[in-house]
Amino acid sequence: MKTLEWLSATAFWKKEMLFFRKLLDEYAGKFTADDDHKKVHHLQNIVTYYKDELIDSLAAKLRLHEKKLADMLETKDELNTVYIKEHIALMQELQSANDQVRDYKEELFCLIEKAM
């Protein structure tokens, strides 16, 4: 079940990244300081990377993981240690991505708040 929750999260992240891109585009011109321009550029790069690469990669890993689980249950191989190790590693990778998204979101909102 956890993989389905993460699949839902990846779909939500994609929508968030589109919103963040629009937000950055809308407010980028309001910054005059070089540091702020660098932050905007940095956040735009992060949004592009997450939206176009990372999230899709994570979603593909999750779908493959779900397929492996279905195959494992079909063959009644519930003690498949390779799958269990993969599961733990994937869950850690997703939690890390979630933490990064949260941190970038906070950084983005703090920056945008300065422009309001």
Side-chain angles (χ1 to χ4, degrees):
M1 279 304 214
K2 195 69 173 164
T3 53
L4 296 177
E5 291 173 22
W6 280 119
L7 268 173
S8 178
T10 60
F12 182 71
W13 292 342
K14 283 286 268 199
K15 289 178 183 177
E16 277 189 318
M17 293 303 139
L18 291 171
F19 173 73
F20 296 157
R21 168 59 73 193
K22 289 178 186 176
L23 203 56
L24 284 166
D25 290 347
E26 182 178 334
Y27 284 94
K30 296 187 180 200
F31 293 104
T32 56
D34 283 342
D35 275 354
D36 290 336
H37 284 289
K38 288 177 185 176
K39 287 178 186 176
V40 167
H41 184 67
H42 170 70
L43 288 168
Q44 286 172 329
N45 287 337
I46 289 169
V47 166
T48 298
Y49 170 67
Y50 271 68
K51 184 178 76 58
D52 295 342
E53 295 179 37
L54 183 68
I55 296 170
D56 290 340
S57 172
L58 291 171
K61 285 181 182 182
L62 282 163
R63 286 188 291 278
L64 179 60
H65 191 66
E66 276 292 301
K67 183 181 179 335
K68 287 180 182 180
L69 175 61
D71 293 345
M72 186 179 77
L73 292 174
E74 187 174 301
T75 61
K76 297 185 171 112
D77 186 17
E78 293 91 358
L79 299 177
N80 183 332
T81 57
V82 172
Y83 174 84
I84 293 168
K85 288 178 185 175
E86 283 178 2
H87 179 80
I88 292 168
L90 182 57
M91 295 302 111
Q92 289 172 339
E93 183 178 7
L94 287 155
Q95 186 59 55
S96 176
N98 187 59
D99 294 346
Q100 290 172 355
V101 166
R102 184 192 62 237
D103 292 346
Y104 293 138
K105 195 183 318 185
E106 184 177 333
E107 185 178 347
L108 170 81
F109 290 157
C110 287
L111 180 66
I112 297 300
E113 188 175 47
K114 286 173 64 175
M116 296 179 127

